[in-house]
Every structure is written in C-alpha cells, then in structure tokens.
Amino acid sequence: MNHLGDAHLRTWALRLMALLAADTRDQLAWLGERELETADVVEEAELLCRVSEGLVERGVIEPGDLRQLRLIGRRFGEIDAACRVGLWADALTSDPAWDDIRPLAREFLARTLGDWRQPLPRPVRRYTDDR
C-alpha cells in the first residue's frame, strides 16, 4: 500500500465488513430512520469482492484474505434478485442470507484486524436541497 487511494480502499473495505459483521440489532440501530436499499448494500459488497484480487496485488489486503472475500462474494451472488428489492432493514430481519454473510465478514475482520468487533462507520448524511 503506497498511496492515499489504497489507504482509502482499505478503509472502505474494513468499514463495509464491519457493517456486515455487526449483530442485526446493531445494523438496524445504525440504519435508524435511513431507507437504505438492499440492492445498494449488495452492489457495494459485490464490488469489493470483484476488485479484491487487485487489492491483494497492490498490498491493500493480505493474500490470505482473498479466500474469505471470495466466499463472501459467492454468498452475495446467491442472493435472489427478488430478495435484493426493498429496504435493507426489512431484508436483515427476513432473509437468512444476512445470517450467512455475518460470520464470513466476522472471520475476515478477525483475520485482518484481530477482532471482528469494530466500530460501525459513521452513516453518510442524506443529501437534501435544504440549505
């Protein structure tokens, strides 16, 4: 890892994994009143998994972490298109895929950082035209 872009990618990957690894109640609390679409979460995670080989090549993540990201990517790929529709808060409580993804993300974080329990990322504020 040798430039700011790589540091940003590592931070992005770790924050996303922290969110995916969190207990359901913590994920729901993080969401609060936000209406985050399930498809957006899935697409973000799939993107990370797709670029993971390049991240390993550049030293952003360790080669041993690639296997775990491939497992996570495979599980996301199995999520039915119908289950990608709607709010993530609803999917977290109704789709068992999230219960399968959680331990995979935890293993990734435990391997990478020594403990899967990480602070959740600060939620991004919704853009409004109000000034």
Side-chain angles (χ1 to χ4, degrees):
M1 194 163 40
N2 57 9
H3 58 70
L4 290 176
D6 285 346
H8 176 74
L9 288 172
R10 178 175 166 74
T11 299
W12 165 65
L14 294 174
R15 286 179 178 167
L16 179 58
M17 286 297 121
L19 186 56
L20 295 175
D23 291 326
T24 304
R25 65 186 153 92
D26 294 330
Q27 291 168 326
L28 293 171
W30 181 86
L31 282 167
E33 298 296 317
R34 280 178 223 81
E35 295 184 349
L36 182 59
E37 294 290 325
T38 303
D40 294 338
V41 177
V42 171
E43 288 171 11
E44 191 85 4
E46 286 181 326
L47 175 62
L48 170 60
C49 295
R50 279 194 309 275
V51 301
S52 60
E53 285 189 37
L55 296 177
V56 169
E57 289 172 7
R58 292 202 330 264
V60 176
I61 57 175
E62 295 297 317
D65 297 331
L66 186 57
R67 178 185 171 278
Q68 200 64 27
L69 287 172
R70 285 179 178 154
L71 289 172
I72 292 168
R74 195 170 310 127
R75 184 60 186 104
F76 272 109
E78 295 169 353
I79 295 178
D80 182 278
C83 294
R84 294 175 183 226
V85 176
L87 298 178
W88 191 40
D90 296 335
L92 284 170
T93 59
S94 64
D95 186 351
W98 298 101
D99 293 330
D100 297 341
I101 291 164
R102 195 169 290 110
L104 297 172
R106 287 176 179 181
E107 189 173 329
F108 174 86
L109 288 171
R111 180 183 174 86
T112 304
L113 300 175
D115 189 356
W116 69 266
R117 290 172 206 83
Q118 299 297 316
L120 295 182
R122 284 187 313 236
V124 177
R125 290 186 189 200
R126 247 173 104 181
Y127 174 78
T128 62
D129 210 8
D130 301 339
R131 295 181 199 259

